């Protein structure tokens, strides 16, 4: 199949899922065309089946905000025509599925099916803003197929938008062949030369991720056992988290690494991942850690209970309860045999339920379904 994929190319779960999906589909022989304003971050020239089309937005003194949505729609229609695309797959509803609807309308009577994958904040935050709600609902209803990355998100979409549309749940995935605890050895020696326990947090440091809580949790943990903290990513809450690190004089133990490309190695070097978010429709960072046999300590919110089983492959704790999170972290980190068992079960779950080999065929099946509807 020839598939156009649009996503946010910057750091963020939805862009990562879209990019990895494109790479997996290309490896299975599909022709993939990324259509977005910059090359997606995890995309490298790794397959002749992958193409990138940059959307440029012309500025003009009259435009207060250059109309990206329109430039994107035009590029989608152009690429669909020039490369005979079978369908467009949009990740994150706003504004991508609106642009796709425009592109599809421009090309009529030719039929160009549109798949929209909802990721989370496009529904729970942005889509629920009154000014965006009607157009998001419209773009969901106009998509030929809609998927959500968890049952939680599917239900939240029905609740928020009152749409009648059938929404398929297709969980996020991880390529288990690229993950493994052995990959973390070099970095473990580097960050924890004296055998300290390594805690890791990986996010875009938006307030919803609660990176300041991560520092609070770490402060309690390090008072009870030798530990270091790796803070990976960047975003608006980073300076608050850094400020707390200096207030607690944790500078030698807490490392802010910024945006990194070696996520698999970094995750694999950790003994525990912390994700104390206020909300998470799925929690891709948790899944990536689990695939490397790293147990996870996450909030009991959103789609996280669909990914993590409390007491089996990690722990689910009420958000903002830093004392309880710290207690659970110390419990996991002070019993290495139990921690390893949890990590093994985490890896097993990632492999059996969320591996690319389990999930990608679900997307392929969905594409086939809408293409056969389209030709009916
Ligand atoms: O988490 C973010 O802030 C980024 C956001 C995105 O769309 O890029 O992530 C959402 O999509 C990810 C991939 O499906 C999910 O793993 C995250 O849980 C979800 N974030 C939230 O729901 C807050």
């Amino acid at each position: 199949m020839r598939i156009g994929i649009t996503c946010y190319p910057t750091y963020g779960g939805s862009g990562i899922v879209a990019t990895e999906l494109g790479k997996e589909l290309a490896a299975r022989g599909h022709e993939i065309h990324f259509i977005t304003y910059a090359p997606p971050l995890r995309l490298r020239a790794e397959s002749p089946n992958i193409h990138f089309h940059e959307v440029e937005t012309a500025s003009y003194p009259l435009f207060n905000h250059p109309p990206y949505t329109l430039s994107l729609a035009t590029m989608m229609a152009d690429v669909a025509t020039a490369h005979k695309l079978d369908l467009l797959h949009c990740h994150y509803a706003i504004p991508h599925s609106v642009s796709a609807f425009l592109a599809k309308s421009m090309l009529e009577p030719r039929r160009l099916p549109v798949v929209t994958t909802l990721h989370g904040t496009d529904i729970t935050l942005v889509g629920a803003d009154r000014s965006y709600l009607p157009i998001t609902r419209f773009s969901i209803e106009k998509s030929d197929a809609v998927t959500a990355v968890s049952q939680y998100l599917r239900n939240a979409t029905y609740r928020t938008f009152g749409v009648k549309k059938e929404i398929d749940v297709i969980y996020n995935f991880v390529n288990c062949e690229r993950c493994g605890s052995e990959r973390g050895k070099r970095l473990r020696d580097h960050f924890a030369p004296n055998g300290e326990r390594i805690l890791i947090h990986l996010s875009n440091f938006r307030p919803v991720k609660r990176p300041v809580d991560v520092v609070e949790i770490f402060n309690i943990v390090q008072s009870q056992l030798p530990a270091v903290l790796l803070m990976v990513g960047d975003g608006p809450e980073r300076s608050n988290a850094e400020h707390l690190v200096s207030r607690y004089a944790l500078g030698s133990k807490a490392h802010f690494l910024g945006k990194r490309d070696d996520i698999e190695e970094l995750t694999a070097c950790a003994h525990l991942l912390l994700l104390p978010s206020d909300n998470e429709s799925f929690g891709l960072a948790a899944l990536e850690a689990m695939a490397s046999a790293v147990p996870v300590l996450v909030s009991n919110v959103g789609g996280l209970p669909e990914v993590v089983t409390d007491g089996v492959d990690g722990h689910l704790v009420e958000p903002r309860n830093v004392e309880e999170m710290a207690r659970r972290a110390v419990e996991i980190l002070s019993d290495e045999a139990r921690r390893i068992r949890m990590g093994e079960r985490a890896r097993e779950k990632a492999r059996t339920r969320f591996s690319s080999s389990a999930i990608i065929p679900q997307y392929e099946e969905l594409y086939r379904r809408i293409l056969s509807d389209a030709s009916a």
Side-chain angles (χ1 to χ4, degrees):
M1 282 177 245
R2 298 188 188 94
I3 302 160
I5 295 184
T6 292
C7 62
Y8 283 106
T10 48
Y11 283 84
S14 57
I16 294 171
V17 170
T19 310
E20 297 295 341
L21 174 63
K23 283 155 64 174
E24 295 282 348
L25 289 167
R28 286 162 170 76
H30 301 286
E31 187 179 307
I32 303 302
H33 294 262
F34 284 97
I35 309 170
T36 180
Y37 62 82
L41 277 167
R42 285 200 189 175
L43 189 67
R44 305 207 174 74
E46 31 198 314
S47 161
N49 286 345
I50 295 184
H51 309 267
F52 167 64
H53 306 270
E54 184 173 340
V55 180
E56 284 178 30
T57 311
S59 64
Y60 182 68
L62 202 60
F63 299 156
N64 205 355
H65 306 288
Y68 176 67
T69 307
L70 303 185
S71 310
L72 176 60
T74 307
M75 183 62 97
M76 283 170 159
D78 285 353
V79 174
T81 305
H83 297 274
K84 301 186 172 54
L85 296 188
D86 293 305
L87 59 97
L88 293 172
H89 189 165
C90 301
H91 291 260
Y92 211 91
I94 303 168
H96 305 141
S97 49
V98 177
S99 300
F101 171 75
L102 290 174
K104 172 186 164 137
S105 309
M106 286 160 76
L107 294 181
E108 279 174 353
R110 183 201 154 181
R111 188 152 187 252
L112 179 65
V114 173
V115 179
T116 296
T117 290
L118 308 172
H119 281 273
T121 46
D122 45 352
I123 298 306
T124 52
L125 291 181
V126 189
D129 184 303
R130 262 189 39 192
S131 60
Y132 288 115
L133 195 141
I135 193 124
T136 308
R137 180 195 287 132
F138 173 82
S139 73
I140 290 172
E141 272 168 349
K142 288 293 178 187
S143 297
D144 294 84
V146 179
T147 77
V149 298
S150 62
Q151 298 284 351
Y152 156 80
L153 186 61
R154 180 168 90 152
N155 297 339
T157 308
Y158 284 135
R159 244 192 345 266
T160 309
F161 295 95
V163 284
K164 299 274 180 296
K165 190 99 198 159
E166 186 186 327
I167 300 176
D168 291 282
V169 173
I170 301 186
Y171 285 118
N172 287 335
F173 57 90
V174 63
N175 186 322
C176 293
E177 271 138 50
R178 294 211 313 258
C179 302
S181 44
E182 56 294 340
R183 299 196 64 179
K185 178 149 181 11
R186 187 181 61 83
L187 289 174
R188 195 171 302 147
D189 293 344
H190 173 73
F191 288 115
N194 303 311
E196 297 91 336
R197 306 285 84 187
I198 302 178
L199 292 85
I200 192 166
H201 171 74
L202 225 146
S203 78
N204 49 21
F205 285 63
R206 284 197 283 138
V208 68
K209 303 288 178 179
R210 309 284 304 169
V212 170
D213 285 3
V214 172
V215 178
E216 293 283 8
I217 296 163
F218 177 71
N219 187 38
I220 302 175
V221 172
Q222 63 84 37
S223 70
Q224 300 184 36
L225 46 84
V228 296
L229 174 66
L230 306 184
M231 298 287 272
V232 185
D234 208 341
E237 283 290 289
R238 176 172 168 171
S239 57
N240 287 336
E242 282 178 321
H243 178 73
L244 198 60
V245 160
S246 57
R247 224 179 78 203
Y248 287 148
L250 296 173
S252 59
K253 297 180 177 176
H255 307 280
F256 286 80
L257 304 178
K259 295 173 180 174
R260 299 271 295 225
D261 286 332
D262 52 347
I263 296 299
E264 281 133 13
E265 281 86 338
L266 277 166
T267 310
C269 88
H271 296 98
L272 180 67
L273 174 114
L274 301 178
L275 193 64
S277 312
D278 268 340
N279 197 16
E280 245 0 296
S281 63
F282 183 89
L284 188 63
L287 177 60
E288 291 187 327
M290 290 165 73
S292 290
V294 178
V296 296
L297 193 51
V298 303
S299 296
N300 189 12
V301 288
L304 281 167
E306 296 170 56
V307 182
V308 179
T309 309
D310 189 46
V312 175
D313 36 34
H315 277 293
L316 293 156
V317 176
E318 290 315 302
R320 303 192 181 200
N321 190 344
V322 293
E323 286 79 18
E324 180 61 6
M325 290 225 180
R327 189 183 75 74
R328 285 300 196 188
V330 170
E331 189 182 279
I332 294 172
L333 294 171
S334 24
D335 181 347
E336 184 61 359
R338 179 164 175 265
R339 191 196 73 79
I340 290 174
R341 267 199 314 279
M342 274 188 148
E344 287 306 327
R345 287 192 296 246
R347 173 154 53 190
E348 187 53 17
K349 189 195 272 178
R351 204 181 56 76
T352 51
R353 294 208 210 151
F354 300 110
S355 66
S356 27
S357 49
I359 302 294
I360 305 301
Q362 298 179 29
Y363 278 112
E364 290 177 298
E365 180 50 37
L366 179 87
Y367 297 157
R368 278 194 287 273
R369 195 177 85 209
I370 59 163
L371 287 177
S372 65
D373 286 355
S375 57

